[in-house]
Amino acid sequence: MRVSTGMIFENGTTQFQNRAGDLLKLQQQVSTGRRVVAPSDDPIAASSSLIVQQAKSMNAQWATNRGSATDSLQIVESKLSGVSDLIVYLKEKAIQAGNGALSPVDRKSIAVDVRARFDALVGLANSNDPQGGYLFAGFQTDTQPFVGNIASGVQYQGDQGSRSLQISDSRVIPVSNSGNEVFMDIPNLNGAFHTSAGATNTGAAVIDDGSVVGAYSGNQYRIDFTGPGSYDVYDVTAGGGPISSGSYVSGTSIAFAGIQVSVSGTPAAGDTFSIDPGGYTDIFSTIQTFVGALENTSGAALNTQVNQTLGKLDKALDNVLRVTASVGSRVNEVQAAESVGSQADLQYATTISRLTDLDYAQASSDVTQKTAALQAAQQAFVKTTGLSLFNYIG
């Protein structure tokens, strides 16, 4: 085989380029800290690393969602705490209003205070979330959920929805509660009907909350006292004459049509008590009725309304505390998911490092070796290209 000068140059250049390329690749690995700089470096490791990196990126998005969920839930929790404090304050005012020594002026002063608290409650119910939407409007975050005032009553304009966020690959968590659930959908004292005293009653009798003891039809009833010791019961919904009559004894139960109530005290002839259907009430109408009683009634009718207001406020407070407990449990769940997500993120990073990161000790040894090989190739190239027959002609 004839070795030409051109072949010598070509082979030398090729060896030089190969050694330089190997060294350059190592230098890239050292500078980036990664063993797999390009997929061709290790196709299997590169493919596995890509899958893990995608999982890590999704976990980062869940982390962002968890942060948003925590912010929203903590705001809901804060507003519900304000509502609870306000209800407790109203209960104190109801107890104060039950003092028989108060004058009409005193009761009206209490009514002024309660009116202000009513407006504060509407403000809390129309609170905004971190994005500027209404917190308790359900899905209709651009719609003010509660409209009206203490004179006209308050209506709910939102829906029953509860907004949610996905906080992990397997968990979607609600981050809001509808205003209907918090403020409107409150069980009545017995879950079926509510009682009230006639506004024109002149006696000293009061009626309790009553209970269902049979097949209650859902009709409206009225108890009329024909004298201090006798009464008639009317089915207002059906109309007609009395459906029941009896002799009155203070504190003795009066039962009819599947319901049972108890009237205590001394009624006057012409006093009436109503039994109105409805298993649910709302906190706004409770306060509205209470203010009306403070401003317009006294005696037994006021006492009955005070007792019912206290009972309904207890129900409203129980409902708010139930929702608050639910929100608190969701906050705890998000925090637990955050802990799991942090551990997963660390595991993903460890896996990616194992698949693609560079072993610096091995790389340092390889750089030294490749540098020596390149220098040897350079020297061999110089010596080879310097060969000539003219060196041997004397």
Side-chain angles (χ1 to χ4, degrees):
M1 176 179 176
R2 180 181 179 185
V3 179
S4 65
T5 301
M7 182 181 294
I8 292 174
F9 272 88
E10 183 178 350
N11 288 340
T13 302
T14 300
Q15 290 297 319
F16 177 74
Q17 289 175 339
N18 289 341
R19 299 295 182 272
D22 291 342
L23 182 59
L24 178 61
K25 180 178 178 180
L26 277 171
Q27 289 172 338
Q28 288 177 330
Q29 290 176 334
V30 171
S31 64
T32 61
R34 297 181 61 189
R35 179 179 63 85
V36 182
V37 178
S40 58
D41 296 336
D42 188 337
I44 295 178
S47 175
S48 299
S49 173
L50 179 60
I51 294 173
V52 177
Q53 183 61 53
Q54 289 174 339
K56 190 174 186 297
S57 298
M58 290 299 296
N59 191 54
Q61 183 59 57
W62 303 145
T64 300
N65 287 3
R66 287 191 292 270
S68 298
T70 299
D71 292 342
S72 296
L73 289 171
Q74 287 178 341
I75 288 179
V76 173
E77 199 171 32
S78 173
K79 299 302 180 181
L80 291 177
S81 177
V83 173
S84 298
D85 292 342
L86 195 150
I87 294 175
V88 170
Y89 182 85
L90 290 174
K91 287 182 62 179
E92 294 173 356
K93 289 300 173 182
I95 293 172
Q96 181 182 352
N99 185 348
L102 294 180
S103 67
V105 173
D106 294 331
R107 291 194 294 271
K108 287 185 178 180
S109 296
I110 295 174
V112 170
D113 189 8
V114 174
R115 282 178 176 272
R117 302 296 168 170
F118 181 95
D119 293 337
L121 180 63
V122 173
L124 285 171
N126 285 325
S127 298
N128 295 107
D129 61 21
Q131 290 73 42
Y134 287 102
L135 196 62
F136 297 110
F139 294 131
Q140 301 183 41
T141 55
D142 294 333
T143 301
Q144 180 176 322
F146 294 94
V147 296
N149 51 53
I150 198 168
S152 63
V154 172
Q155 293 78 42
Y156 179 59
Q157 304 295 314
D159 56 34
Q160 314 304 315
S162 177
R163 300 186 298 281
S164 300
L165 276 176
Q166 186 163 357
I167 61 172
S168 71
D169 57 351
S170 60
R171 183 69 174 103
V172 177
I173 194 167
V175 295
S176 70
N177 292 79
S178 73
N180 189 72
E181 178 186 4
V182 177
F183 301 98
M184 307 299 288
D185 201 9
I186 301 171
N188 244 326
L189 298 177
N190 57 42
F193 60 84
H194 58 277
T195 60
S196 61
T200 59
N201 286 6
T202 58
V206 296
I207 189 171
D208 70 355
D209 303 326
S211 59
V212 176
V213 295
Y216 172 53
S217 64
N219 286 359
Q220 179 185 14
Y221 296 94
R222 188 182 73 247
I223 302 174
D224 291 353
F225 280 88
T226 56
S230 59
Y231 63 86
D232 293 328
V233 179
Y234 292 85
D235 186 336
V236 178
T237 302
I243 62 170
S244 177
S245 299
S247 298
Y248 169 71
V249 178
S250 177
T252 301
S253 296
I254 301 174
F256 54 90
I259 64 177
Q260 178 177 286
V261 295
S262 178
V263 179
S264 303
T266 304
D271 283 359
T272 64
F273 295 92
S274 296
I275 294 90
D276 298 305
Y280 293 88
T281 185
D282 66 88
I283 189 171
F284 301 106
S285 63
T286 295
I287 301 172
Q288 182 185 33
T289 303
F290 178 47
V291 169
L294 288 173
E295 294 176 340
N296 301 304
T297 63
S298 60
L302 177 61
N303 290 337
T304 297
Q305 189 56 57
V306 166
N307 290 336
Q308 291 183 341
T309 297
L310 283 170
K312 290 180 178 180
L313 288 176
D314 279 335
K315 287 284 188 180
L317 182 59
D318 288 345
N319 187 65
V320 172
L321 292 178
R322 176 189 61 80
V323 176
T324 302
S326 172
V327 172
S329 68
R330 279 176 269 161
V331 171
N332 292 337
E333 185 176 354
V334 173
Q335 291 174 345
E338 182 63 29
S339 177
V340 172
S342 297
Q343 294 174 2
D345 191 68
L346 179 60
Q347 183 59 50
Y348 291 144
T350 300
T351 302
I352 293 172
S353 175
R354 176 176 56 81
L355 290 170
T356 64
D357 282 1
L358 183 68
D359 183 344
Y360 277 98
Q362 180 65 45
S364 297
S365 174
D366 291 344
V367 166
T368 302
Q369 180 183 1
K370 298 296 183 183
T371 301
L374 177 61
Q375 291 172 347
Q378 290 172 333
Q379 292 172 1
F381 180 74
V382 170
K383 289 182 178 296
T384 301
T385 55
L387 294 177
S388 173
L389 289 175
F390 293 104
N391 295 332
Y392 301 98
I393 297 176

